[in-house]
């Protein structure tokens, strides 16, 4: 009997080790945003973004949790007027601005398929964000037009921004589910709130182990609904904008503090955003392509809508060797 118990224990230990080894506890990836991805022939407003990130599944003791993920990210966003080349200041209908930051986040994902994510970013809006040289490099590399207008960009202002996000599954069928999503931003540069539903169609996993909630780095042993995620997603969001430093400049500055060339404006307080995309999540690789369509974001904008595409690629890996 002792021998049988020993054999059973060894088999159980090996099985548990193999199961744990199948988990991808870490991932590294990047996301690129650009309005040219949609082949619409425009180069305006939110025109380019690049983000590099690392995520790691964390240990946890709370029995209500199914996953806990730590994330680290650096990113840059570039904003133009109605074009990246304007004849003079009167054509600057949306301020030129760059936003460069580094940040960290912690994502708590619960067994009841809700999650709470907290993010903190520190960075700068203005010339130190290097928006002009990066856009010049892009345009010279691909043979685009010569830029003019960055001399009017928002001046330097330091950024400390906090963001919180909450998602909760409402309905799930075999090929469809519906999640409620809300967020809030507060800080020296970005203040606002938003809410809307997330709809997924296809093969998707639970919210505690899904591309949808950036929770595919995991240490849990809960079986996913599918070995691979392949689904369409649609997310309309109602946004209320309290403050936007890329539009209004420093939250601490007064009108008399502005430089002679700096052009700022006022944001639209309410913005409707629609995101639609296709996601693949496999054992090693994640790919996502999303298109975002926004209503007018700045009161002085000539165009009432703006859209851009996003491409995300993630590589998943384990932090230890598999037990064989």
């Amino acid at each position: 009997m002792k021998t049988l118990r020993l054999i059973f224990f060894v088999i159980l230990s090996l099985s548990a080790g193999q199961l744990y080894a199948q988990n991808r506890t870490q991932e590294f990836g990047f996301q690129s945003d650009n309005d040219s991805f949609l082949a619409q022939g425009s180069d305006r407003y939110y025109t380019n973004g690049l983000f590099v990130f690392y995520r790691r599944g964390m240990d946890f003791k709370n029995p209500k949790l199914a996953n806990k993920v730590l994330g680290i990210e650096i990113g840059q966003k570039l904003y133009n007027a109605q074009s990246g080349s304007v004849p003079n200041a009167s054509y600057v209908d949306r301020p030129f601005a760059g936003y460069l930051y580094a940040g960290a986040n912690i994502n708590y994902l619960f067994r009841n398929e809700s999650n709470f994510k907290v993010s903190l970013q520190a960075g700068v809006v203005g010339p130190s964000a290097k928006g002009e040289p990066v856009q010049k490099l892009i345009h010279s590399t691909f043979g685009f037009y010569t830029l003019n207008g960055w001399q009017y960009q928002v001046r330097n202002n330091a950024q400390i921004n906090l963001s919180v996000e909450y998602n909760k599954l409402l309905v799930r069928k075999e090929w469809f589910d519906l999640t409620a999503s809300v967020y809030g931003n507060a800080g020296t540069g970005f203040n606002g709130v938003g809410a809307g539903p997330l709809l997924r169609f296809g093969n998707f996993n639970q919210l505690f182990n899904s591309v949808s909630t950036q929770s595919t780095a995991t240490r849990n042993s809960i079986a996913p609904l599918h070995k691979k995620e392949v689904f369409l997603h649609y997310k309309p969001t109602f946004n209320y904008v309290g403050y936007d430093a890329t539009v209004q400049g420093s939250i601490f500055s007064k009108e008399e503090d502005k430089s002679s060339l700096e052009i700022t404006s006022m944001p639209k307080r309410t913005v409707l955003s629609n995101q639609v995309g296709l996601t693949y999540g496999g054992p090693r690789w994640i790919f996502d392509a999303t298109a975002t369509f926004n209503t007018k974001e700045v009161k002085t904008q000539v165009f009432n809508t703006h859209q851009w595409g996003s491409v995300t690629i993630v590589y998943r890996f384990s932090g230890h060797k598999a037990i064989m």
Side-chain angles (χ1 to χ4, degrees):
M1 291 296 293
K2 289 183 179 180
T3 302
L4 289 176
R5 284 198 296 267
L6 178 61
I7 293 173
F8 177 77
F9 176 77
V10 170
I11 293 173
L12 184 64
S13 299
L14 289 174
S15 299
Q18 288 177 325
L19 178 62
Y20 183 77
Q22 289 173 357
N23 288 342
R24 307 305 184 194
T25 60
Q26 302 178 63
E27 56 190 29
F28 175 82
F30 76 91
Q31 176 180 322
S32 178
D33 299 346
N34 201 289
D35 47 3
S36 67
F37 290 165
L38 300 184
Q40 58 185 335
S42 67
D43 187 19
R44 58 176 177 257
Y45 308 148
Y46 176 48
T47 185
N48 190 75
L50 183 62
F51 315 91
V52 180
F53 52 85
Y54 165 80
R55 302 187 189 115
R56 182 184 185 93
M58 306 295 289
D59 292 323
F60 53 89
K61 296 181 180 179
N62 187 339
K64 293 183 179 181
L65 285 176
N67 197 5
K68 180 181 176 182
V69 181
L70 173 69
I72 300 172
E73 179 180 345
I74 57 174
Q76 184 192 50
K77 296 182 177 182
L78 308 183
Y79 298 88
N80 278 349
Q82 57 187 288
S83 170
S85 180
V86 294
N88 55 61
S90 65
Y91 286 82
V92 181
D93 61 332
R94 195 259 188 247
F96 283 80
Y99 174 44
L100 180 66
Y101 70 90
N105 58 76
I106 188 74
N107 195 358
Y108 297 93
L109 301 113
F110 297 89
R111 291 178 179 268
N112 67 356
E113 295 206 53
S114 64
N115 81 293
F116 182 71
K117 183 179 180 180
V118 182
S119 305
L120 183 66
Q121 296 179 355
V124 63
V125 168
S128 293
K130 304 301 180 183
E132 181 179 13
V134 168
Q135 194 173 31
K136 281 184 175 179
L137 176 62
I138 295 172
H139 279 230
S140 63
T141 300
F142 294 98
F144 297 156
Y145 61 85
T146 301
L147 297 173
N148 183 56
W150 279 95
Q151 63 270 31
Y152 307 117
Q153 71 176 298
V154 173
R155 70 182 183 130
N156 282 329
N157 58 97
Q159 296 293 307
I160 295 290
N161 294 295
L162 177 71
S163 177
V164 295
E165 176 186 341
Y166 177 76
N167 298 282
K168 179 69 174 72
L169 178 69
L170 299 179
V171 176
R172 172 168 294 144
K173 302 298 182 180
E174 183 177 354
W175 56 273
F176 161 81
D177 71 3
L178 172 65
T179 299
S181 180
V182 296
Y183 77 87
N185 298 326
T188 61
F190 306 100
N191 295 295
V193 294
L198 168 64
L199 295 89
R200 301 190 295 177
F201 306 86
N203 292 337
F204 41 75
N205 283 330
Q206 303 96 320
L207 293 184
F208 50 72
N209 188 13
S210 176
V211 180
S212 298
T213 50
Q214 301 87 49
S215 58
T216 47
T218 180
R219 292 183 181 274
N220 72 37
S221 58
I222 302 173
L225 297 176
H226 302 278
K227 291 182 178 180
K228 297 179 180 179
E229 291 189 290
V230 182
F231 60 88
L232 293 168
H233 55 89
Y234 171 57
K235 186 178 183 180
T237 304
F238 175 82
N239 306 277
Y240 177 81
V241 181
Y243 200 90
D244 185 340
T246 69
V247 176
Q248 297 169 265
S250 173
I251 196 171
F252 302 111
S253 68
K254 300 178 181 178
E255 189 65 27
E256 57 268 24
D257 296 331
K258 290 176 60 176
S259 68
S260 59
L261 291 178
E262 180 186 14
I263 295 177
T264 58
S265 187
M266 289 296 293
K268 289 279 290 183
R269 294 304 178 192
T270 58
V271 177
L272 180 62
S273 174
N274 286 278
Q275 293 183 333
V276 59
L278 175 65
T279 296
Y280 165 82
R284 286 290 184 184
W285 292 96
I286 293 170
F287 302 96
D288 179 83
T290 296
T292 301
F293 304 85
N294 276 12
T295 59
K296 195 172 185 176
E297 298 174 317
V298 179
K299 292 182 178 181
T300 52
Q301 279 183 204
V302 172
F303 297 93
N304 289 324
T305 60
H306 181 51
Q307 49 277 329
W308 65 89
S310 304
V311 176
T312 304
I313 300 176
V314 179
Y315 178 70
R316 306 174 61 199
F317 58 98
S318 299
H320 54 84
K321 297 181 180 179
I323 300 175
M324 299 302 293

